[in-house]
């Protein structure tokens, strides 16, 4: 075939003109009208060898984002918008989940050696002979490690066993120098507990108002060494972590919705922190969760639970829910296709959509559990248990009830206060509220209702402080707020915030000024206290007089005959129109000198006069 001249190719591509010579000109008569004015991609269809008239051009593909938006609009119109709860159940199938939670105890020493527990020191700097299984070394139970474990078990409503024993769980891996892990498989120190999850905790709607999940047992055990992956298939081991005391909390298989499982993990993490049992949370590796997942049909064809798989080492609350959903759906697909579920251990990666197989599930025989002959039985006295029970910290449920009933906070804000900074934020709230109450009591102007003070303080401590470290604070917002367990904030002291809220609640400054002052405190620009900063910058609120309110209201109503007519003829009061006039009044008046509620009150009295005629 001869080479096509560049000019002919240009006419073909740009104008749809086909040469009379060569293969591209064979069917020019039947395609000329189609090519003229068509797009570039349609012009290339001339290579199709057919003499029949062209079929209509295919529709251009719709971008995926646009298609999703259109689908959402149609679903909304038809009342078929997908509910967030749809992922919690699958018609015709029942999900069953059991959870094992491993939490590092808040102790100074390891479980069976005097070496200190350390997570930030140099690798392999806190290792005893027993930790690395040196020949002749013996385990020495550190009694103080029992205290936080007992607090955790009591908080989970468990029965403390007077006598418990340690067992060896045999397996060979590089992070376990002795070739076995010391645990309490047969006779744990705590059994038969339970935890109650409420609707306000965020459980799945299908679980109703509350669900009680049984705790089968809580057992003491050792942690393994930390593995640090390197290049070229090399791994480094840090034995500072080996032998660190853990508790393993094993729930009964009584959870049937993914969201409820995630809520349970989050609540247990909060509970362990509240009673000072767990050294850190999931975000720092101090708590890990393994979930056991099985499914069965709801038609009664299989009365026993299905074959379970275990998903190991879930490190976030969201990962718990996502991994359970993915594994449930995988098992259902497998069973509906006629396959079977293998008992195996699976893994999950953040952002994944499918679990992945790690290894076949090992049974009890493979681990060769046996009593540890080197460790005496653990005997726990009733006096110790009673003392710890009496001194146990207030539970998160009780504290939420108090924040709602006595302080008037919403359940959402109450949970936020308790969860933020592992409970340090709620301690900060109490300190701010106490300081604010003292300032209000000492000025002789009367004490507002406690709920009014608490709701204002709670809103600022949760939301306004949260904005300080977001993009809205600009490029300088690079410091996270840091709180001590006692409730002291290094960037915004409780005395500064309470002074700010005092001036705000007394209407001595506006909300806008208060927010600007909060940023100034955060950026360390307030040197002599909040009150002095207001004075130096003349930020006091100077409200306009009643006469000025009246004049601004009349001005806002000028040339608004159509709007005013609605206040005369309404069947339902047009509050939106009133707020329109309030906004107009605010624009007409002096900046930061008008109280919106007062402006609304003045306008309402005037439009009521119009109706009465």
């Amino acid at each position: 075939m001869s080479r096509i001249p560049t000019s002919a190719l240009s006419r073909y591509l740009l104008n749809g003109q086909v040469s009379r010579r060569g293969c591209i000109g064979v069917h020019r008569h039947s395609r000329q009208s189609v090519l003229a004015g068509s797009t570039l991609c349609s012009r290339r269809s001339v290579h199709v060898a057919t003499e029949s008239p062209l079929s209509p051009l295919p529709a251009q593909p719709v971008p995926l984002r646009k298609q999703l938006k259109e689908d959402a609009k149609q679903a909304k119109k038809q009342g078929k918008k997908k509910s967030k709860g749809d992922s919690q159940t699958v018609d015709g199938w029942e999900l069953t989940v059991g959870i094992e939670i491993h939490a590092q105890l808040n102790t100074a020493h390891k479980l069976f050696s005097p070496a200190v527990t350390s997570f930030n020191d140099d690798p392999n700097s806190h290792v005893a002979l027993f930790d690395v299984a040196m020949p002749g070394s013996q385990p020495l139970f550190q009694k103080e490690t029992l205290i936080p474990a007992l607090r955790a078990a009591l908080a989970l409503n468990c029965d403390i066993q007077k006598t418990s024993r340690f067992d060896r769980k045999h397996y060979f891996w590089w992070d376990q120098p002795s070739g076995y892990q010391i645990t309490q498989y047969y006779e744990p120190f705590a059994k038969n507990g339970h935890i109650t999850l409420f609707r306000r905790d965020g459980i799945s709607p299908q679980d109703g108002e509350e669900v009680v999940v049984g705790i089968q047992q809580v057992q003491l055990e050792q942690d393994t060494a930390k593995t640090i992956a390197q290049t070229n298939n090399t791994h480094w081991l840090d034995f500072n972590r080996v032998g660190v005391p853990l508790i393993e909390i094993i729930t009964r298989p009584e959870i049937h919705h993914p969201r409820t499982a995630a809520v349970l993990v989050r609540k247990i993490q909060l509970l362990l922190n509240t009673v000072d049992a767990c050294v850190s949370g999931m975000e720092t590796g101090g708590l890990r969760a393994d979930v056991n997942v099985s499914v069965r049909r709801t038609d009664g064809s299989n009365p026993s639970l299905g074959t379970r798989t275990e998903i190991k080492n879930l490190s976030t609350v969201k990962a718990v829910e996502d991994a359970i959903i993915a594994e449930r759906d995988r098992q259902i697909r497998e069973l509906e296709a006629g396959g079977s579920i293998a008992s195996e251990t699976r893994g999950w990666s953040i952002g994944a959509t499918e679990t992945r197989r790690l290894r076949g599930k090992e049974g009890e025989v493979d681990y060769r559990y046996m009593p540890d002959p080197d460790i005496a039985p653990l005997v726990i006295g009733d006096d110790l248990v009673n003392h710890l029970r009496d001194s146990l910290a207030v539970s998160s449920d009780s504290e939420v009830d108090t924040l709602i009933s006595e302080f008037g906070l919403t359940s959402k804000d109450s949970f936020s206060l308790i969860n933020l900074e592992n409970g340090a934020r709620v301690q900060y709230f109490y300190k701010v509220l106490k300081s604010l109450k003292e300032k209000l009591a000492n000025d002789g102007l009367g004490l507002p209702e406690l709920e009014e003070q608490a709701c204002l303080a709670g809103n600022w401590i949760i939301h306004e402080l949260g904005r300080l470290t977001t993009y809205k604070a600009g490029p300088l917002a690079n410091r996270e707020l840091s709180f001590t367990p006692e409730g002291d904030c290094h960037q915004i002291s409780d005395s500064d915030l309470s002074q700010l809220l005092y001036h705000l609640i007394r209407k001595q400054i506006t909300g806008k000024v208060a927010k600007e002052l909060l940023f100034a405190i955060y950026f360390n620009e307030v040197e002599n206290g909040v009150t002095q900063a207001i004075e130096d910058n003349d930020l006091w609120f100077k409200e306009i007089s009643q006469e000025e309110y009246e004049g601004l209201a009349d001005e806002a109503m000028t040339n608004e005959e159509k709007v005013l007519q609605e206040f005369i003829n309404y069947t339902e009061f047009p509050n939106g129109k009133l707020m329109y006039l309030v906004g107009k009044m605010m624009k007409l008046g002096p900046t930061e000198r008008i109280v919106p509620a007062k402006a609304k009150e003045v306008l309402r009295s005037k439009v009521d006069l119009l109706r009465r005629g």
Side-chain angles (χ1 to χ4, degrees), residues 98-171:
I99 302 180
E100 300 169 7
I101 295 175
H102 305 265
Q104 292 176 349
L105 292 175
N106 190 8
T107 63
H109 297 281
K110 297 185 179 181
L111 190 57
F112 293 108
S113 79
V116 299
T117 54
S118 170
F119 304 99
N120 300 314
D121 292 346
D122 294 337
N124 299 313
S125 58
H126 301 289
V127 184
L129 294 177
F130 179 75
D131 297 336
V132 288
M134 292 297 289
S137 60
Q138 292 289 309
L140 180 62
F141 179 68
Q142 304 297 304
K143 296 179 181 179
E144 64 268 27
T145 61
L146 182 61
I147 304 303
L150 286 172
R151 286 200 296 260
L154 290 171
L156 291 167
N157 306 295
C158 291
D159 298 329
I160 307 301
Q161 308 301 298
K162 289 187 177 182
T163 303
S164 59
R165 290 178 170 82
F166 290 96
D167 308 300
R168 292 181 179 181
K169 176 183 178 181
H170 293 84
Y171 67 93

Side-chain angles (χ1 to χ4, degrees), residues 22-33:
C23 62
I24 63 172
V26 174
H27 304 292
R28 65 187 184 281
H29 298 294
S30 62
R31 304 184 194 279
Q32 188 173 4
S33 61

Side-chain angles (χ1 to χ4, degrees), residues 41-85:
C41 61
S42 64
R43 288 167 187 158
R44 294 173 183 171
S45 64
V46 295
H47 293 283
V48 180
T50 175
E51 297 199 10
S52 61
L54 284 178
S55 58
L57 291 175
Q60 292 297 316
V62 180
L64 177 61
R65 184 185 293 270
K66 185 176 180 181
Q67 184 63 48
L68 291 174
K69 286 184 178 180
E70 291 298 325
D71 292 345
K73 286 181 182 179
Q74 292 299 323
K76 188 173 181 180
K77 286 181 181 180
Q78 299 171 11
K80 296 180 180 179
K81 189 172 182 180
K82 184 176 177 63
S83 169
K84 291 183 179 180

Side-chain angles (χ1 to χ4, degrees), residues 22 30 146 207 234 259 278 309 314 317 324 373 433 465 609-610:
S30 62
L146 182 61
D207 282 317
T234 301
R259 187 180 304 164
C278 187
T309 59
L314 299 174
V317 172
I324 291 173
L433 191 59
L465 261 62
L609 285 175
L610 290 175

Side-chain angles (χ1 to χ4, degrees), residues 124-224:
N124 299 313
S125 58
H126 301 289
V127 184
L129 294 177
F130 179 75
D131 297 336
V132 288
M134 292 297 289
S137 60
Q138 292 289 309
L140 180 62
F141 179 68
Q142 304 297 304
K143 296 179 181 179
E144 64 268 27
T145 61
L146 182 61
I147 304 303
L150 286 172
R151 286 200 296 260
L154 290 171
L156 291 167
N157 306 295
C158 291
D159 298 329
I160 307 301
Q161 308 301 298
K162 289 187 177 182
T163 303
S164 59
R165 290 178 170 82
F166 290 96
D167 308 300
R168 292 181 179 181
K169 176 183 178 181
H170 293 84
Y171 67 93
F172 296 96
W173 201 247
W174 56 51
D175 59 6
Q176 190 63 268
S178 62
Y180 61 84
Q181 179 190 35
I182 300 177
T183 183
Q184 290 187 313
Y185 183 74
Y186 291 112
E187 297 183 59
F189 78 96
K191 294 180 180 179
N192 303 325
H194 68 272
I195 183 170
T196 304
L197 308 175
F198 298 96
R199 176 183 289 273
R200 68 189 184 197
D201 292 319
I203 61 176
S204 175
Q206 290 84 354
D207 282 317
E209 293 298 321
E210 65 179 58
V211 58
V212 179
V213 179
I215 305 296
Q216 181 174 312
Q217 64 188 57
V218 181
Q219 58 197 47
L220 280 163
E221 61 185 29
Q222 297 172 298
D223 206 345
T224 58

